[in-house]
Amino acid sequence: MALTYANYLKLDRLLDLQDVRSDPPEHDEMLFIIIHQTYELWFKLMLHELDKAGRDLSSNDMYGAIATFKRLRTIMKTLVGQLDILETMTPMSFTSFRDRLETSSGFQSVQFREFECVVGVKRAEMLKHCDRSAPNFQRLQRRLHERSVVDHFYDFLAHRGVEIPQELQNRNLSESTRANEQIQEGVYQLYISQPDVAILFELMTDFDEGQQEWRYRHTKVVERTIGNKQGTGGSLGVEFLKRTLFLPIFPDLWAIRHRL
Ligand code: HEM
């Protein structure tokens, strides 16, 4: 069979994956399913790009890293922007099919947890919400104990002459990133002496700001759609989500800005 647009993209399978559970079908459930599926596709691409970002940084490929972070930050902006579409769904409309979601929740997104691990937000306790039988669950468990993009960032800094403190070189990889003053000093020196490296750091900051924006916008979508109701995943809902606002990926890039 000749290759076509449809069979290259496996559209017959892709477009057959939107099963609304409400009966009779609630109009907005289709939006709810498609938006989540779209997010999962973008998460897949981000994980793919973040793996490349790690390789770029560790191999001191600055132009590669610039191109990769430019793409990552652009995907992130799209993820934030897409929430506008979801906000066209009213609370009444969501209520009409919410009980059909039972206990399913974004809490269980294995790829979102993978994303967190790869960017150095290691919340081991969150893995218990994920479906252990999901095909990518083992990869998630592996990523929890692997180096994050921040560890690869330290490699890049080392290539550029920054001394990486022993406690960071021998750190427990299953723990989240911690800010470090010695790293901050190295980053500051590079910022003021190497303008091309500063371009990369600005793109990394854009990406980091973007993921914080996503957390904020998601929390507001939740607040305007379900108010102070509990989440279907069993958390306190908005109160739980607020705890992760302003959580940076690269704390050392933020810590020095007043000096620049
Ligand atoms: C009306 C729309 C939405 C509502 C009401 C909603 C609600 C919630 C709530 C209440 C939680 C906390 C966990 C729980 O108890 O369930 C949560 C977590 C989460 N949601 Fe949503 N959500 C919505 C849309 C989305 C969309 C479009 C995505 C895109 C992937 C998403 C991804 C996530 C993720 C990844 C988490 C885990 C966040 C974390 O652990 O920090 N949600 N959501």
Side-chain angles (χ1 to χ4, degrees), residues 23-34:
D23 183 19
E26 289 294 341
H27 183 79
D28 283 5
E29 193 180 349
M30 183 64 88
L31 163 68
F32 191 77
I33 292 173
I34 288 182

Side-chain angles (χ1 to χ4, degrees), residues 31-248:
L31 163 68
F32 191 77
I33 292 173
I34 288 182
I35 199 135
H36 280 86
Q37 289 180 337
T38 312
Y39 271 105
E40 289 292 336
L41 285 173
W42 286 125
F43 289 161
K44 182 169 181 173
L45 184 62
M46 277 209 296
L47 289 169
H48 184 64
E49 299 297 337
L50 278 162
D51 284 340
K52 177 171 183 299
R55 292 194 299 274
D56 291 340
L57 290 169
S58 284
S59 61
N60 196 19
D61 178 358
M62 190 186 61
Y63 295 114
I66 285 177
T68 309
F69 275 100
K70 192 167 177 201
R71 183 172 299 169
L72 277 163
R73 103 150 162 200
T74 311
I75 299 169
M76 196 50 91
K77 281 183 187 296
T78 299
L79 293 194
V80 174
Q82 275 181 198
L83 286 171
D84 290 344
I85 311 173
L86 192 56
E87 284 185 343
T88 63
M89 180 178 75
T90 64
M92 295 78 80
S93 172
F94 185 50
T95 304
S96 69
F97 64 88
R98 188 178 187 225
D99 57 344
R100 297 303 184 121
L101 305 179
E102 299 177 7
T103 54
S104 67
S105 158
F107 243 7
Q108 296 162 333
S109 169
V110 176
Q111 289 203 109
F112 183 75
R113 290 302 156 219
E114 275 190 72
F115 172 80
E116 286 197 328
C117 288
V118 174
V119 298
V121 178
K122 310 261 178 135
R123 297 200 279 167
E125 73 285 1
M126 297 306 292
L127 267 62
K128 67 174 186 281
H129 298 286
C130 295
D131 177 5
R132 298 192 146 264
S133 61
N136 46 354
F137 185 75
Q138 292 207 330
R139 200 176 60 195
L140 167 61
Q141 276 184 311
R142 203 188 69 220
R143 286 198 193 270
L144 178 67
H145 307 292
E146 275 179 1
R147 302 179 84 224
S148 73
V149 75
V150 180
D151 296 297
H152 293 287
F153 174 49
Y154 298 152
D155 291 346
F156 178 80
L157 296 177
H159 282 298
R160 303 273 155 169
V162 177
E163 199 183 322
I164 310 301
Q166 278 300 321
E167 74 255 32
L168 292 184
Q169 291 185 38
N170 305 324
R171 71 181 203 90
N172 177 352
L173 294 177
S174 315
E175 289 179 2
S176 291
T177 308
R178 294 212 187 116
N180 181 286
E181 284 184 8
Q182 204 173 319
I183 295 288
Q184 286 159 27
E185 186 55 34
V187 167
Y188 172 70
Q189 293 302 333
L190 288 173
Y191 244 114
I192 57 173
S193 62
Q194 298 190 22
D196 48 355
V197 174
I199 292 175
L200 171 61
F201 290 172
E202 286 297 291
L203 286 167
M204 292 165 74
T205 308
D206 284 349
F207 171 64
D208 194 348
E209 189 174 343
Q211 66 85 28
Q212 294 179 53
E213 252 181 290
W214 187 82
R215 289 186 190 272
Y216 169 77
R217 287 291 314 275
H218 170 257
T219 305
K220 292 314 272 186
V221 171
V222 175
E223 187 175 3
R224 67 183 281 164
T225 312
I226 63 168
N228 62 7
K229 287 181 196 164
Q230 273 205 349
T232 46
S235 82
L236 284 176
V238 173
E239 281 314 307
F240 163 78
L241 294 168
K242 276 186 183 166
R243 290 179 204 150
T244 58
L245 295 181
F246 307 115
L247 191 66

